[in-house]
Amino acid sequence: MRSPFAHCLVPLTLAVLSYPLSLAQAQTPLSAVTTSTAPSSSAASMQALTLGEAVRLALTQNPELAAARLELQAMEGAEIQAGARPNPEVGVLVEDTRSAARTTTLQWSQAIELGGKRSARLAAAARAREQAGAALQAKQAELRAAVTSGFFEVLGAQEQVRLTQASLDLAHNATLIAGKRVQAGKVPPLEQGRAQVAEAGVRAELAQAQSDLLLARQRLAAFWGQGKITFDRADGNDASLPELLSDQRIGELLTNAPAIRIARMEIARRQALTDTERAKRVPDLTVTLGAKRAAELGRTQAVVGFSIPLPVLDTNQGNLLEALRREEQAREVLNATSVRVQAEVSQSIERLRLTREQVQLLRSDVLPLAQTTYDAAVKGYELGKFAFIDVLDAQRTLFQLRQQVLRGTAEAYRAAADLDRLLGRDEAQAGASTN
């Protein structure tokens, strides 16, 4: 008979975390060849990578993060330059080419900024520096979230390889038993062929799982700018569910989300730029001091003067209008960003909530029933009550459910990582639940 739990495979979406079933539980006398899940001496000597180490490597060696740091340093230089005052000017004026009648004037001129230009310029540069700092923090939060998601993807891929290897052991042992029953004349040769086909299929799945693990490790290593994999395995707790934050905590974090903070800072920077353009409408005063030597008279005279542009043809009206419109545009961007971030946060929370509920359903109800069905099918086959196809069906159902949970692990942590990225959290695993 077919397993009554096969219909559960399609509607159940991915949950979070693998269900720890030992092969000792999954096997009865049919599975005499058991696979121990305890680490061997060679596995114990492997170089393990923890989540904290992966995050540390990414934060210190990621090229994109290094570029964001350089951008912040560049903005600090721009702020220093914004505080610089105009340089003085020194000039020499010579009248007449004849030495006896020549008049030489040496003068020193200093422009004096009026209208608060320097303070407005400093304010705009300071806002740009703060914005670069917020962008760096947002990039760090995004990188932490991506590394966390990649790390748990590697954990899931490792568990997938382990489960597929266990499934291969079961399929191989089933092939051996089917061969013995064929030799004893208890079953037709067709059953041995079915067992061999099933074993070949599991071998293909194992090769795919090993390839997926290699690719997952490469993607994780790429976060710290290394094409070469420098670790053998990921060492973490894949038996925990990401925490589901309370609505109050979500609201607190949402008000200070990185994207919203940057949008607010852009408004402040645009306001400072508007003040700068408004200050430019006030002309600067240039003061001149010097000395004039008249060779014909044989005496030196003091020179004092000042100059100021007349704002008649150019009042900087166009630049001021542009700055005002850019300021209004920044406010609209803030509104749009707030709506977008709130929507994305709500979606991530719902994804996380759904996967938590599904994994609890799988672990508490579906997987134990699938395990019981598998054990009953094995015993019935050994007693001659069931056909081998029933054992294969029960085994396939059991391992497909386990694979669903493994895929759910990656999906759940992707949702949690997206939430951490949106909210700018840096404690992605601090409050992980073990439910």
Side-chain angles (χ1 to χ4, degrees):
M1 66 176 182
R2 298 186 58 84
S3 169
F5 306 104
H7 68 280
C8 300
L9 296 177
V10 175
L12 282 176
T13 32
L14 305 177
V16 187
L17 177 53
S18 65
Y19 185 75
L21 289 172
S22 68
L23 287 178
Q25 294 175 326
Q27 302 173 27
T28 56
L30 172 63
S31 307
V33 179
T34 59
T35 301
S36 174
T37 59
S40 63
S41 58
S42 60
S45 62
M46 289 183 179
Q47 181 181 356
L49 178 73
T50 64
L51 177 58
E53 179 66 13
V55 172
R56 186 193 67 79
L57 287 172
L59 293 179
T60 55
Q61 300 181 22
N62 183 264
E64 294 183 5
L65 197 59
R69 292 192 184 97
L70 291 174
E71 177 66 19
L72 176 58
Q73 295 173 6
M75 290 298 100
E76 291 172 351
E79 185 178 8
I80 294 174
Q81 184 60 37
R85 300 179 184 276
N87 289 321
E89 297 181 7
V90 176
V92 177
L93 179 63
V94 179
E95 301 178 37
D96 203 335
T97 58
R98 297 171 299 174
S99 59
R102 181 179 303 163
T103 300
T104 303
T105 304
L106 178 64
Q107 60 185 21
W108 175 87
S109 300
Q110 175 65 58
I112 301 175
E113 292 182 308
L114 302 178
K117 294 184 180 65
R118 180 172 177 270
S119 60
R121 195 168 58 243
L122 274 171
R127 300 295 85 76
R129 174 185 54 77
E130 293 172 357
Q131 195 173 26
L136 175 59
Q137 294 176 357
K139 187 64 179 178
Q140 290 174 336
E142 179 181 350
L143 184 60
R144 278 190 295 265
V147 170
T148 300
S149 179
F151 183 84
F152 279 93
E153 183 181 1
V154 173
L155 281 181
Q158 290 177 171
E159 183 65 12
Q160 178 67 42
V161 170
R162 187 190 71 81
L163 287 179
T164 307
Q165 181 61 58
S167 180
L168 178 60
D169 293 339
L170 288 175
H172 178 69
N173 197 46
T175 301
L176 295 178
I177 293 180
K180 293 179 181 179
R181 291 175 63 86
V182 169
Q183 293 176 358
K186 296 182 179 180
V187 295
L190 179 61
E191 289 204 5
Q192 185 178 10
R194 287 174 175 174
Q196 291 172 343
V197 170
E199 180 180 353
V202 177
R203 288 188 186 279
E205 291 179 4
L206 178 60
Q208 181 64 50
Q210 291 171 339
S211 176
D212 292 342
L213 174 58
L214 177 61
L215 294 176
R217 292 167 63 197
Q218 289 176 343
R219 285 191 292 269
L220 181 59
F223 284 118
W224 48 86
Q226 293 184 1
K228 181 180 178 181
I229 300 175
T230 57
F231 64 96
D232 295 308
R233 61 187 175 88
D235 185 11
N237 180 17
D238 60 354
S240 64
L241 295 176
E243 65 171 332
L244 188 61
L245 300 179
S246 65
D247 294 340
Q248 180 180 358
R249 181 59 176 161
I250 290 292
E252 294 173 356
L253 293 171
L254 188 59
T255 58
N256 203 34
I260 296 178
R261 285 183 57 208
I262 293 175
R264 288 200 195 100
M265 290 179 178
E266 179 64 12
I267 294 178
R269 188 177 75 88
R270 287 297 176 182
Q271 289 175 336
L273 289 175
T274 300
D275 294 339
T276 300
E277 298 300 333
R278 186 176 288 110
K280 288 181 180 179
R281 305 185 70 180
V282 180
D284 295 335
L285 174 67
T286 301
V287 177
T288 301
L289 300 176
K292 181 177 181 181
R293 176 66 179 177
E296 187 176 5
L297 299 177
R299 65 178 182 177
T300 301
Q301 298 173 306
V303 177
V304 179
F306 70 91
S307 64
I308 186 170
L310 298 177
V312 177
L313 302 179
D314 181 9
T315 60
N316 203 40
Q317 182 176 0
N319 288 337
L320 178 58
L321 179 60
E322 178 187 2
L324 289 171
R325 294 299 175 264
R326 297 290 186 188
E327 185 179 336
E328 294 175 2
Q329 182 187 43
R331 291 191 175 91
E332 294 300 329
V333 170
L334 173 60
N335 294 334
T337 300
S338 299
V339 173
R340 175 181 60 81
V341 171
Q342 289 176 4
E344 292 180 357
V345 166
S346 298
Q347 293 173 4
S348 298
I349 292 175
E350 179 59 22
R351 286 168 54 201
L352 181 56
R353 183 196 63 79
L354 180 61
T355 51
R356 283 174 59 90
E357 292 179 356
Q358 290 174 341
V359 74
Q360 290 170 354
L361 174 63
L362 283 173
R363 294 178 64 183
S364 62
D365 298 333
V366 181
L367 279 173
L369 289 174
Q371 181 69 54
T372 302
T373 301
Y374 172 75
D375 293 340
V378 170
K379 292 180 180 179
Y381 174 71
E382 292 180 342
L383 295 175
K385 297 181 179 180
F386 296 142
F388 185 68
I389 189 63
D390 297 320
V391 178
L392 291 179
D393 183 59
Q395 177 181 303
R396 183 173 58 252
T397 299
L398 176 62
F399 279 96
Q400 284 179 343
L401 286 173
R402 290 180 179 178
Q403 290 169 354
Q404 276 190 324
V405 178
L406 285 177
R407 291 192 297 268
T409 302
E411 176 63 21
Y413 277 99
R414 276 195 295 268
D418 286 342
L419 190 59
D420 292 333
R421 172 183 58 83
L422 293 168
L423 299 178
R425 300 179 70 214
D426 59 0
E427 64 274 13
Q429 299 302 115
S433 169
T434 57
N435 292 338

